[in-house]
Amino acid sequence: MSLARRHRDYIHSLTAASAPAPEGGPAPAAASDGAAGHAAAPALSTAAHTINLRLQHDLRRLKDIKSVAGKIAVKVAAIGDYRAWVDGLLEAGRTAAPGTLAPTGADEVLPTIMVWAIDTGDWPYALALADHVLRHAIALPARYQRDAATLIVEEIAEAALRAQAANTAFPLDVLEQVEALVDGVDMHDEVRAKLLKAIGTELARHADAAGTDDAHRFASAAIERLAAAQTLHDRVGVKTQIRGLEKALAALPAPAPAPAPSDPITAAPPPQP
């Protein structure tokens, strides 16, 4: 059996074993069938042990590399080696109630791959993993020295701010998805302010490229986000941006008035003779 197949079977077995029995019904087969449980245990243990060894090997490789670009190249190449394992966890997490996933025996793997996906700019994969990590309250390995929500917000916001400082666009939808993921989550104001600054800066870029009506909408939204960032952290560095946007907004032609709704009585064609 391939390693990828063992990983998938491992996750499915864990999910079955942790599923609650129907009220008044028998326990799930994986939990009640002793013979099957004993037979599966060595394979499950081997799958977790194997993926853990692979992760420790890759972490040592990364530690030995000084170049940031070199580390990124290794992460890009290595992420695929963990896909079967991680995708099995994502599949299990879609149907499991929050916080009910059983330990896998290799619990550092998925959050580590989430961080690597952020580092490499694989935003769709990073956001899928971030959603799973936050929904199931999965702790990050101690080496990251932050809780999951803080790391997700800070790393993605800083990636956006670096791109924007180099006059390069960053996907606005990624930033807005991050904002939605951590809505209501407690974190340091300085961290959330970075995200709001990145969103406001990207909205301002959209305003510069938009027609009159959309420019009003984007500029107003940008000012709102930047002002919120300023309120959270007064040294976030957005005062000049806000003043510039307010000046640009005042100079824009007034947006076209919305068309009045048609009157169904006066708009109806005259009756035929």
Side-chain angles (χ1 to χ4, degrees):
M1 183 186 296
S2 70
L3 177 60
R5 176 63 183 275
R6 287 211 310 271
H7 290 172
R8 285 194 295 271
D9 290 349
Y10 187 12
I11 301 305
H12 293 159
S13 298
L14 287 171
T15 306
S18 62
E23 186 174 352
S32 62
D33 187 342
H38 286 301
L44 303 188
S45 176
T46 299
H49 181 65
T50 301
I51 202 76
N52 267 328
L53 285 178
R54 174 170 285 167
L55 180 63
Q56 296 309 312
H57 169 73
D58 285 338
L59 289 172
R60 285 193 297 270
R61 288 174 63 203
L62 289 166
K63 190 175 181 179
D64 290 339
I65 298 171
K66 296 180 178 65
S67 163
V68 173
K71 289 178 185 286
I72 294 298
V74 168
K75 290 174 183 178
V76 169
I79 283 176
D81 295 336
Y82 300 89
R83 280 275 182 173
W85 178 270
V86 172
D87 288 351
L89 285 170
L90 290 177
E91 182 181 344
R94 290 186 190 102
T95 55
T100 63
L101 288 179
T104 65
D107 293 310
E108 288 195 1
V109 173
L110 186 145
T112 298
I113 299 308
M114 178 194 74
V115 175
W116 291 4
I118 292 172
D119 291 343
T120 60
D122 188 347
W123 305 123
Y125 197 41
L127 290 171
L129 295 175
D131 177 70
H132 177 93
V133 164
L134 294 176
R135 182 149 37 92
H136 293 288
I138 296 172
L140 296 187
R143 62 182 171 272
Y144 293 118
Q145 300 179 334
R146 284 167 287 179
D147 62 87
T150 298
L151 181 143
I152 291 163
V153 169
E154 192 159 34
E155 294 298 323
I156 295 179
E158 288 184 351
L161 293 171
R162 285 193 299 271
Q164 292 162 350
N167 201 30
T168 301
F170 190 88
L172 178 60
D173 63 317
V174 169
L175 296 170
E176 291 177 335
Q177 286 180 66
V178 172
E179 183 181 36
L181 280 176
V182 299
D183 183 36
V185 176
D186 183 37
M187 69 179 60
H188 292 295
D189 291 340
E190 293 87 347
V191 174
R192 196 179 296 274
K194 290 180 184 179
L195 177 62
L196 289 168
K197 178 180 179 180
I199 294 173
T201 301
E202 209 54 49
L203 285 167
R205 182 189 304 277
H206 280 61
D208 288 342
T212 299
D213 291 352
D214 285 339
H216 272 272
R217 178 168 57 86
F218 282 124
S220 298
I223 291 170
E224 180 183 346
R225 297 297 176 81
L226 294 172
Q230 176 68 32
T231 299
L232 287 176
H233 182 44
D234 62 1
R235 290 187 291 177
V236 72
V238 297
K239 292 179 182 178
T240 301
Q241 281 180 280
I242 293 173
R243 287 196 296 268
L245 281 164
E246 288 174 339
K247 184 177 179 180
L249 190 59
L252 284 172
S262 58
D263 185 332
I265 296 175
T266 59
Q272 297 296 319

